[in-house]
Amino acid sequence: MSLRPLRLFLVGFVFPLIPPTRMFGLKRSLLRWCGAELGVNVRISSSARFQTNGPLRIGAETWIGHQVLITGGTAPIEIGQWVDIAPRVLIVSGSHHPTPGAEKAAGAGVSVPVRIHDGAWIGAGATILGGAEIGASSVVAAGALVRGVLAGGGVYGGIPARALRDSEKGGTEQCE
């Protein structure tokens, strides 16, 4: 089920009135009223914003941090269970087909799904673009830009995000 934009607009006025890290059940109820599918014990900071028209699914025991923005078009955004999304993460499913040299370089709009698998951890300030798929139990470093597919169990960082460590190597490198 897609989100209902008018209801989502109204919820945008209510969320800031709720204590940031309290009353998670009320916030879940409000987002379900808007058409989102939320698992049990999803915890959402009151400063998080949802500005998308497509289906939104968030799995159980997931944390959505302060000032997270989930936006885009009509494509689905799926966030698994046990996912941790740090402050100021941008998840955007919408974009444009670029038309360089045209009167308007941002051509026709396009909306591409985003999928974050179970157990992933998204660091502060990361940007997740349409078409991104983040594998299970992966770590995305703070400030990273994710586009495309990231395999499960890896540590990724940079712009664009690249593997800093993967589950097969089992290395000890740290994510900066």
Side-chain angles (χ1 to χ4, degrees), residues 4-142:
R4 296 178 180 98
L6 180 56
R7 289 183 181 189
L8 202 55
F9 174 76
L10 295 173
V11 165
F13 287 107
V14 176
F15 258 43
L17 303 175
I18 302 171
T21 57
R22 299 286 184 264
M23 302 176 74
F24 298 119
L26 174 59
K27 291 181 257 189
R28 284 191 300 271
S29 294
L30 288 169
L31 284 176
R32 285 180 181 132
W33 178 69
C34 294
E37 293 179 36
L38 304 176
V40 297
N41 204 32
V42 170
R43 297 171 318 279
I44 300 169
S45 173
S46 296
S47 59
R49 295 288 164 257
F50 301 87
Q51 300 170 344
T52 185
N53 296 324
L56 175 64
R57 292 180 198 91
I58 303 173
E61 301 293 336
T62 289
W63 166 254
I64 307 289
H66 300 281
Q67 298 178 349
V68 167
L69 175 59
I70 297 176
T71 186
T74 58
I77 296 175
E78 297 180 34
I79 301 169
Q81 51 191 353
W82 310 299
V83 173
D84 287 302
I85 300 178
R88 294 193 173 178
V89 168
L90 170 63
I91 300 172
V92 57
S93 66
S95 187
H96 296 269
H97 288 293
T99 53
E103 187 173 345
K104 182 178 177 190
V110 61
S111 187
V112 185
V114 172
R115 186 157 189 212
I116 302 171
H117 289 269
D118 297 347
W121 175 20
I122 313 300
T127 299
I128 314 299
L129 298 178
E133 184 169 347
I134 299 170
S137 300
S138 291
V139 176
V140 174

